[in-house]
Amino acid sequence: MNELFKKNIVGLHKMLVEKEISAIELAGAFLNRIADKDKSVRAFVSVTEEEAKKSALAVDQKIAKGQFIGLLEGIPASVKDVLATAGTKTTASSNMLANYVPPYDATSVEKLGREGLVMLGKTNCDAFAHGASTENSDFFQTHNPWDLDRIPGGSSGGAAASVAGSMSVYALGTDTGGSIRSPANYCGIVGIKPSYGRVSRHGLFAMTSSNDTVGVMAKNVEDCALVLGAMAGEDAKDATTRRTKVPNYHEEIKKFNFKDKKIGIPKEYFGEGMHGGVRSAVEGAIAKMESLGAKIVPISLPHTQYAVAIYYIVTPSEVSSNLARYDGIKYGYSVMSDLSRKDQIKDLLDVYTQSRKYGFGAEAKRRIMIGTYALSSGYHDAYYKKATAARHLLADDFKTAFKSVDFIATPVAPTLPCRLGEKVSDPLALYLEDIYLAAVSLSGLPALSVPCGFARDGQGDTIDLPVGLQLIGNYFDESTILGAAYHYEQSEEWRLRYPNI
Ligand code: GLN
């Protein structure tokens, strides 16, 4: 593979400043790569060639004038299609929003825009971010660059595949119950979900408002630290963002030292059903961190077994409420403006029901039904109220753990990425993909996935598939997990392997 695609942000910045390459040439190289490779990977819902070239040109003009350019200026990246981009179609990979062009940017996108983002395009995901494989996209499937027959994980599968396939330097993703960590894990890249409230949700199409976070994926920890720092911070447009000062993650990661750190290993995350290759990669990473000076502390997160059940009551409940706005009148696809179906409407109720029938895919409908049931009078107390009370038990488990450890290390998923279609007809099997991810989201904590090895799925399989390590941090302490991931990453050579596409 071309050496250009192996460079990190600092390396590319140096090339731009030293005029080894222009921003236009850099964008062009990535756009060509997309034209070549995305035919088979299918990471992008739309490629925004013109916008990319326009932004790149602006950076080149600054360089030509001898002006200062920031580290992120001119760096090509992709944006998950659930984040609003002004003037660029934003679909949530759903038929409901297939033609929606937002008049505004999400705050995260706007902030990066100010830093000189060159947006290459919008990436595919499970529709409305509901899923763990990207197979719930209403449009098409995204393939895992390491093995095109396998899922890339989800819901930010296109984002992860765009990075793993070297079709963007970094990608903006979102994580509500694992949607950054799962695809980062399966695609062999780094992905961080910040604490709830660290990055503004303004302009992110709401899924589970009490969990939704915007984060970043890249080939290495340093790039993630840089981009997260640029996106984070208080925003008047999202009341759940915190006023707390944003640390300089880029500097902090270098200062981290394993020598004075205690790492919690929760026994509940190493139970039965884990693939042997995943187990040995994760255990190997823990041993490595110990050899670098960390102290390993066995801990217990006793309510872990309830996390998926709690998540799949809280999430559909909020989804059913958040998706109510797509009614064929106020927002989204409308059967009234669909010439082929217009004749089917007799009254207002038909407008609502038919628009939602054709606009939503099967998974969105499933969640709307479960959520409406869980919120309905007579069941509300037994389901929604109980689940929202029980989520505090999960958060308390972590609170107790963080009294004696600095961060927690676990697997990201118990298995390797499955083959496309293998689990798609079994929603429960895919919900169980979230087993190590959901409790973290329900507790609002920061967590990341960093590559920690490779394994083969079954006997006779010849393709090495990546395995990730999850590091979970205390509330608003992204610095520690980024620092640990950075020093672990530098002690190994996993990052030097690339998929063969
Ligand atoms: N797999 C989870 C779900 O289907 C996570 C989704 C997400 O984080 N957006 O809900």
Side-chain angles (χ1 to χ4, degrees), residues 104-123:
Y104 68 106
D105 273 332
T107 298
S108 47
V109 174
E110 189 195 323
K111 280 188 154 186
L112 289 169
R114 273 189 254 134
E115 301 281 331
L117 163 74
V118 172
M119 186 176 82
L120 298 167
K122 305 295 297 284
T123 54

Side-chain angles (χ1 to χ4, degrees), residues 1 7 104 108 136 141 178 251 360 397 414 495-496:
M1 191 174 58
K7 297 227 175 259
Y104 68 106
S108 47
N136 292 335
Q141 292 180 344
E251 281 173 10
F360 287 130
D397 281 357
R495 68 188 183 290
L496 304 178

Side-chain angles (χ1 to χ4, degrees), residues 289-311:
M289 293 189 289
E290 188 175 23
S291 76
L292 294 169
K295 190 165 182 286
I296 303 301
V297 183
I299 58 166
S300 172
L301 299 167
H303 297 95
T304 300
Q305 57 175 312
Y306 305 113
V308 172
I310 297 169
Y311 178 85

Side-chain angles (χ1 to χ4, degrees), residues 80 129-132 155 174-179 207 311-312 315 367 434:
K80 184 179 180 181
H130 303 161
S155 64
T174 64
D175 189 311
T176 298
S179 278
M207 175 182 166
Y311 178 85
Y312 280 99
T315 277
R367 292 184 189 216
D434 306 339

Side-chain angles (χ1 to χ4, degrees), residues 45 179 258 261 356 446 461:
V45 170
S179 278
F258 275 114
K261 294 295 179 297
R356 288 168 72 80
D461 277 336

